[in-house]
Amino acid sequence: MDGIQTVLKFLINQKTAIGYSFMALLTVGSERLFSVVAFKCPCSSENFMYGLVFLFAPALVLLVIGYFLNSRTWKLFTGCFLNPRKIFPKGNSCRFFYVFGQITLHALIAPVMWLSVALLNGTFYECAMSGLQNPGYLNVLCKNKSVKCWEELYKVVCDKTTMSFAESEELKLTLQAQSQVAGWFLIAGVAITVFLSYCLARCLSPLSFLHLKYWASYVRNEQKLFEEAADLHSRLYATQHIKKFFGLVPGSKDLREIRIPSCKDWRSISGVAVLRIVDEEHYDYSLLHDWAVNSSTNGKYFKIEESSSKNSEPPPST
C-alpha cells in the first residue's frame, strides 16, 4: 500500500512532465498519420501552397485550441467589454501583455511540437519547397546541376522527373536536410527563448525561491478549495429553489407533503436559460432561479400520508 501511495504521489508531482510527454507522443503520432494517410503532394505548381498548408494549418489549429483550453484565457477576457479596466488596470496597463504573454507561451507548446516533428520528418517541407519558384532559391539549389532542375524540381518528390536518379536523389536529400536543419533551429531557438524568459521572470521576482514555491502552493490550494466551496455553495443554493418548486429535495426523509407545480409554474421554468442581469449586484442564473425569487410560496400541496392511507388496500384474507 505504501508503495502504491508513493507511486501515485510521484505521478501527481510529475503531472506536468507526464502531460507534456503525452502531448509529444500524440503530436508525433498525428504527424505520421497525416503524412501517410492524408498528405498527397500534387507534384505540380501547387506544391508550395499545399505543403505550407499542411505544415502550418495544424499548428494554427493547435494554437487556437491551446488558447481555448487555458482557463486563464477566459479569466482574462470574460466581461472585458463591460469592464475594460479589468484588462488594462489604471496605473498597470502592461499587466495585460504580461498575462497574455504567459498564456501564449503555454498555448505555443503544441504548435511548436508539431512544427518541430514535421520539419524533422521533412515530408511537408520537401513538397512545399520543391514548388517554390524563387530565382534566388533555385540558383542555390540547382547550382552545378542540369537545366531540368529548374524545370522539373516540383516532380522530384514524386520520382516523376526525367533527371538522372543520382541528381534527383541529391535534390531530395538536400530538401530533407534543409527541413531538418530548420527543425533543429526551431527547437534550439524555442528552448533558448523559454530559458531566457524563465530566468528573466525569476530575476525580476520580488520573492525568494522558497517564498515563490509557497506562493505557487497557496494559489493552487486556494483554487482547489474555492472550486470545492463554490460547488457546495451552488448546490445548497439550487437546493432551496428545487425545494420551493417541488416541495422536496433529493434524499429527503419523512416527507409529509409535496408541492404540485401549476401549469403556469411549468411554463415559467421551461425554455432556454439565459443569464439575466437583475441589477448591479444580482443575476438570475436560470429560469428556475428567476421563478423562485419572484414567485410566492403558495401552491397546491399533496399530503403523502393521506394519499398512502386512502390508496392502501387491506391485505388479502387467507
Side-chain angles (χ1 to χ4, degrees), residues 29-44:
S30 301
E31 194 277 336
R32 293 304 302 164
L33 183 65
F34 267 75
S35 299
V36 174
V37 177
F39 184 77
K40 303 294 181 183
C41 190
C43 296
S44 66

Side-chain angles (χ1 to χ4, degrees), residues 117-147:
V117 172
L119 288 173
L120 291 177
N121 184 35
T123 304
F124 304 145
Y125 180 92
E126 290 176 29
C127 179
M129 299 309 290
S130 65
L132 180 61
Q133 300 297 319
N134 182 278
Y137 178 75
L138 291 176
N139 278 331
V140 175
L141 189 65
C142 296
K143 185 178 181 180
N144 300 325
K145 293 181 176 61
S146 64
V147 179

